[in-house]
Every structure is written in structure tokens, then in C-alpha cells.
Amino acid sequence: MAAAAALPVAKTAPDLPEMDLISSLPGEILSIIISLLPIGSAVRTTSLSRRWRPLWRSSPLNLDISHIDGCGRDRAAAVSKILSDHPGPARRFLTACLQITDPDGWLGSPALRDLQEIDFWLPRYEIPMPLSILRFAATLRVARFGNCRFFEYDAPPSFNFPCLEKLTMRFIFVREDTLHCLLDGCPVLESLLLDRCHGFYYMVINSLTLKRIGTNGGRHGCQLVIENAPRLEKLIRTDLHPESTIRLIKAPKLEIFGFMTDDFTKLKLGEWLLAT
Amino acid sequence: MAATPADASSSSSEAVVGGEKSNKMITLISSDGESFEATEEAAKMSVTIKHMIEDGCADDGIPLPNVPAKILSMVIEYCNKHAADADDTNKHVADPADADEDDDNNNNNASAGEKEDLKSFDASLVAVDQATLFDIILAANFLSIKGLLDLACQKVADDIKDKSVEEVREIFKIENDFTKEEEEAVRKENAWAFNE
């Protein structure tokens, strides 16, 4: 068994360099490194030296709000500052821990241009998902939405998410036709997780790319029909609503299929299913 | 598994006719003139090399003037280990969030045990001094090996994150060439980040 674990940077590390090697790496590489840092560390690189000062602003924005210290108001202020400071593009924008008071303002920020991954929660369940979320449709690969009404009255005629691979919806109201329209607009979707969503009694899966589906029950039963899913490997359902059914028509690769008992409800459905 | 310097004149090519994964060996030549052999499958983890093979430029060995032998052998080790696992060479950027997710779950290509082995291998590959690590990064960038570039950059990021500015300067020997006024101005720009 290989023994090597990642070594912490020792205080007496013998391999500290004699001279500054890192600053002579090309800017494009330093940008990659900075975009892997939590937001606080990334911003602090601006004060390392003159060479480093402009680099954070020219690396893709990686903003996970949970990495900002302080109370909700402090965090919101920091986010507003960051979004006004960074010219974009953005790689990630994760907001799950925060009550967002100005969703449209934030989503419209130039800093979030070409966003690839989003985790977006509205502060109250009755609030509609802002239309401005569709601004990122062309570039999103991973999307987690929570706590809102999803295009209940203002659904576009079609959705187009050409790069979306993972979709998670939690505590969302979405109408049946809107849900199917959304799924139709995700040509490369691999993972779908619907956690305590409602508004649809019937869900038909017709996808050449979906590998993993999870549903965790809503307020009412739902009929799930797997009409054609040639790549589907995992299908997990945790809602125990007496009126819920699953109909499997065509899923030749399905390996894991189950209702989860109470024992499994402690398992975080999203992490289990969406691990790749 | 380690790549060994090979006599450039010996040929051990064996093309498997019609298969996508041939056993053909590709010769790679480091900047200091050493030759290394790698399977075509492993070599193609480098998009740069893949294009050269497809353009028919690889038959006499591929010179890599930017990559010294010490680094090239590590790069080839990485490619050998990961070639069997690769779905395609264009996997998107490794997501730090994914590292928290339960890795015991199956991927298409590797069992849980194999995934653990790969993780250990990757960790030990980048547990090197800074000079070597940066050389790996430069080589991975030049050769367009996304997985290796992400892995090595993540290691550097891990060494930077959650440290104070002073600590980062110390670790990387970065000289503070700001004037006092400049440094104050930078810290004021994003004061929220500097509560040290």
C-alpha cells in the first residue's frame, strides 16, 4: 500500500527554495493556481508583490461564499465588493449558505460572465427564480438550485443548456411541462437530482446521456417513467409516498435501482449519487 | 511501470491492426538527449503528442526540447498510470468540491481500490521540492496533459491556501517590492480579506 500522503508544508521544510521560483511561472499558470484557491486566499495574493497584484483579477473567479468569514451581512458586503472588483470570467459561484437579498443584482454582475458552476438559493420558497439565471445557460456545467419557484409563469419556450452535466434541484416548485422542457434542453446531462421538489406528478426520462438519477420525495406521489435511458446506471428514490411509482421501460445498463429505507436517509443523497 | 531510457535504435513496435488501442511504442526524447519509450495510449494523454502522432510526425521519435529527462520520466509514469483510467483526455478542470465527495463510489473505469491507488500515486508524484513541482507544471502545460497540470497546480494551491500573506512569501521566497503606500492601498482594496 503506497504510504505517501500529501505532506503538509513543514515549518522546517528542507526543500524551501533559495529564490523565488513561483513568480517566474507564466501568468496563465499562476491564474490556474489562483482560481483553485478559496476566495480569501485568492484575493490575498494581490498583496504578495507587484507581480502578483493584477493576477487575481485576470484569473477565473472562484467564489464560494462559505469561505468568507463573518456574519451574513459581512459576507454579503464582501460578495458585492468582489463582484464589483473582478472583471470576469467566473468559474464558480456558490451561495448556498447565504440569504441573498438582491439576486438579480448579483446575477447580472459582469464578474460572473461565462459561469461554469453555480449553487444558487433564494431566500424564500415563494420567490421565483430570476430570469437572469438564464444568462449562464450557455456555459453552465454544474447547477444546483434551491428554494424557489422555477419559471412558474415565465418559462421560456425552450431551455438550452448545452454544457450542463449535473443538475440538482432542492425544495423547488416546477411544473411538469417546464421540467420536461428543461430536461429536453440538456443534451449532455449525466446526473439529475430532485430533492423535495413538487409541481409535477409525472416525470418521463428520455435521455441518451443520463447516468445517475435520484429523487427524494416531494409532497405528493410522482410517477417516474424511464422511457429510454441507454446510459442510466443508478436510479435511487427515497420518497415513500404511497402513490409513487416507477416504470422502467428501457434502461439496459441499470445496475443500482432502489428505494432507500430509513437507514439510508441519513446518507446525503447528493454526494452519494453525484460522485464521479 | 517506470519509464526506462531506451536505446533509440531498438524498435519494439507492435501495432495491433484495427484496434483503437495499439501496443505501438512511441519514443520521446528529453531536452538532454535521453530517449524514453511509452505506449501510444499513454503518450496520447498529451494532446500535443496526440496531434503529432496523428499528423505522422512521431515515427522517428518525438524531441521534447522543453522537458528534461528527470521530469519526462515522471510525466511518463503519470501517463502510464492514468492511461488505463482515462475516459477521454479532455476531462474538465478538477473541481475542488469533488474531493469532498465520497470516492468509494464507482467510476466506470476503476474499482474503489484502484482509485485509492491512483490517489496515493498522484499524491506522492507531487510531493516534491518546488523546483521539481514547477518543472512538472511547465511540462504538463507544454504537453497539454490536463489531469497532470490540474494535479500539480492543486498541490501549489494547497500550499498557499489559508495561509497569511507573510507565510506565503516565506514559503515561496517572494520579495515584497511594494512601497508602504502601495501595500496599504492593496489591502484597503479588499479589506475584508485581510483580517489577519
Side-chain angles (χ1 to χ4, degrees), chain A residues 41 47 50 53 81 117, chain B residues 92 95 162 169 177 189 193:
Chain A
S41 299
S47 74
R50 285 177 174 168
R53 186 174 184 177
K81 182 78 178 54
E117 180 180 345
Chain B
H92 51 75
D95 192 330
D162 298 330
R169 285 195 191 123
D177 55 356
E189 272 166 18

Side-chain angles (χ1 to χ4, degrees), chain B residues 70-91:
Chain B
K70 170 186 168 188
I71 304 298
L72 184 53
S73 89
M74 296 172 83
V75 169
I76 291 175
E77 260 198 271
Y78 175 88
C79 293
N80 282 337
K81 267 287 205 193
H82 282 259
D85 187 62
D87 236 357
D88 72 5
T89 50
N90 291 323
K91 283 208 163 98

Side-chain angles (χ1 to χ4, degrees), chain A residues 4 9 17 20 28 37 41 44 47-50 53 57 81-82 85 92 117 141 165 211 233 275, chain B residues 92 95 97 102 108 124 130 141 157 159 162 165 169 173 177-178 182 186 189-190 192-194 196:
Chain A
V9 177
D20 180 358
E28 66 188 26
L37 291 171
S41 299
R44 283 195 293 276
S47 74
L48 285 171
S49 74
R50 285 177 174 168
R53 186 174 184 177
R57 288 181 184 82
K81 182 78 178 54
I82 292 164
D85 214 1
R92 294 166 94 208
E117 180 180 345
R141 293 185 300 104
E165 295 167 16
K211 292 183 181 174
E233 295 163 14
Chain B
H92 51 75
D95 192 330
D102 187 357
N108 293 335
S124 60
Q130 278 183 32
N141 188 42
D159 289 343
D162 298 330
V165 174
R169 285 195 191 123
K173 293 287 186 285
D177 55 356
F178 285 124
E182 276 176 334
V186 173
E189 272 166 18
N190 278 291
W192 64 269
F194 290 97
E196 287 170 356

Side-chain angles (χ1 to χ4, degrees), chain A residues 29-66:
Chain A
I29 289 191
L30 293 178
S31 286
I32 296 176
I33 293 170
I34 292 173
S35 81
L36 294 171
L37 291 171
I39 186 65
S41 299
V43 168
R44 283 195 293 276
T45 63
T46 58
S47 74
L48 285 171
S49 74
R50 285 177 174 168
R51 159 102 174 98
W52 284 79
R53 186 174 184 177
L55 294 179
W56 171 67
R57 288 181 184 82
S58 55
S59 69
L61 182 62
N62 175 10
L63 180 46
D64 178 351
I65 297 184
S66 69

